Each structure stands twice: as structure tokens, then as C-alpha cells.
């Protein structure tokens, strides 16, 4: 194991124990939640858009689950402000895995990408491109 991966592990634990932007927004533009049934992860994101209706101004999230899912949500919550909904839509699992910086086993990929999928689906629901009450990672495969 290299020192680099150890540093990233510390970062994941730090985000897990001290999640950034945790909580709720008083007046979100949209809210969406999602689940990863195979691991028991739950995440809900509140997103507030700027006046242009497409740039994320601020986000908050809450949830419960494994360290990977919660750290991923915490890290993503720091990346999202300033992004447009189109940019969010373009994110893929590699972006999330790069952000986490650790090797994620195939079993844990769903934990890692849950937050991203929740925000992407929430944006699509908000824009009228998707009808979905909640997101589940079980629909991917």
C-alpha cells in the first residue's frame, strides 16, 4: 500500500466523521433522495440554484450509510457550487472515483456514485426530463 492511498483513506474518514455542507437548506430549488439498498446507504440533497436557474449556488445534504457513500456526498457537496446543471449531468463514475482518490471495489461503486446519481436525477426531475420520487442504485446494472 502506498502512502498516497493512505492519505486518501484519511481524507475519506475525515469527510465521513466531519461531513461538509451537512444539513438542510431553508428554501431549496429542488430536493432529491436516493438509496443504495445493497449497502443501506441513504442520501438526500437540497440544491439551490442561482437566479439564472441553472448554476448551483449552494447545496446541503444529509444521509446515513457507509464511509464511502457519506464521504462521496460530502466531497461532492464541495464541488457542486458554481457548476451548471448541464455540467452536473456530464459527471460520471470516473469523476467521482477520481474525487475519492481510492481504489473502490466493484461492490462499493454503488456506494461511491450514489450522491452523484441523486443530484443528477434531482436535476432531471427539476427540469422535467425525469419522473422519479427517489433514486435507487439497483436500477443501474
Amino acid at each position: 500500500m502506498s502512502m498516497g492511498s493512505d492519505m486518501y483513506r484519511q481524507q475519506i474518514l475525515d469527510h465521513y466523521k466531519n461531513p461538509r455542507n451537512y444539513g438542510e437548506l431553508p428554501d431549496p430549488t429542488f430536493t432529491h433522495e436516493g438509496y443504495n439498498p445493497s449497502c443501506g446507504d441513504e442520501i438526500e440533497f437540497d440544491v439551490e440554484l442561482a437566479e439564472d436557474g441553472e448554476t448551483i449556488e449552494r447545496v446541503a445534504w444529509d444521509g446515513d450509510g457507509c464511509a464511502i457513500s457519506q464521504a462521496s456526498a460530502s466531497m461532492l457537496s464541495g464541488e457542486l457550487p458554481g457548476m451548471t446543471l448541464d455540467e452536473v449531468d456530464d459527471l460520471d463514475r470516473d469523476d467521482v472515483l477520481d474525487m475519492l482518490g481510492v481504489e473502490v471495489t466493484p461492490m462499493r461503486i454503488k456506494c461511491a456514485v450514489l450522491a452523484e446519481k441523486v443530484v443528477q436525477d434531482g436535476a432531471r426531475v427539476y427540469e422535467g426530463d425525469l419522473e422519479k420520487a427517489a433514486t435507487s442504485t439497483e436500477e443501474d446494472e
Side-chain angles (χ1 to χ4, degrees), residues 10-140:
Q10 291 298 325
Q11 182 183 341
I12 285 174
L13 281 173
D14 179 48
H15 275 273
Y16 180 56
K17 292 177 179 156
N18 309 293
R20 320 306 195 260
N21 306 299
Y22 195 84
E24 297 176 11
L25 294 181
D27 196 16
T29 310
F30 63 87
T31 298
H32 195 70
E33 62 185 334
Y35 307 94
N36 173 20
S38 60
C39 191
D41 307 312
E42 305 175 16
I43 290 174
E44 181 172 82
F45 261 87
D46 287 352
V47 176
E48 184 180 316
L49 297 180
E51 285 180 11
D52 66 8
E54 57 188 57
T55 305
I56 295 177
E57 190 146 302
R58 61 177 67 96
V59 299
W61 68 280
D62 69 27
D64 200 22
C66 72
I68 294 277
S69 72
Q70 304 299 293
S72 174
S74 176
M75 290 180 189
L76 188 65
S77 74
E79 302 280 330
L80 290 169
M83 290 180 78
T84 65
L85 296 182
D86 283 347
E87 288 170 333
V88 169
D89 203 48
D90 288 341
L91 291 172
D92 62 27
R93 71 167 53 175
D94 291 336
D95 295 316
V96 172
L97 298 178
D98 288 348
M99 182 181 73
L100 285 169
V102 291
E103 284 293 316
V104 177
T105 61
M107 278 295 296
R108 306 309 287 253
I109 295 274
K110 289 178 176 180
C111 310
V113 300
L114 177 60
E116 173 197 68
K117 289 191 174 312
V118 167
V119 175
Q120 286 176 328
D121 281 357
R124 289 177 191 143
V125 170
Y126 167 72
E127 292 182 304
D129 297 332
L130 183 70
E131 282 189 38
K132 187 183 276 193
T135 294
S136 168
T137 54
E138 295 306 298
E139 298 151 17
D140 298 343

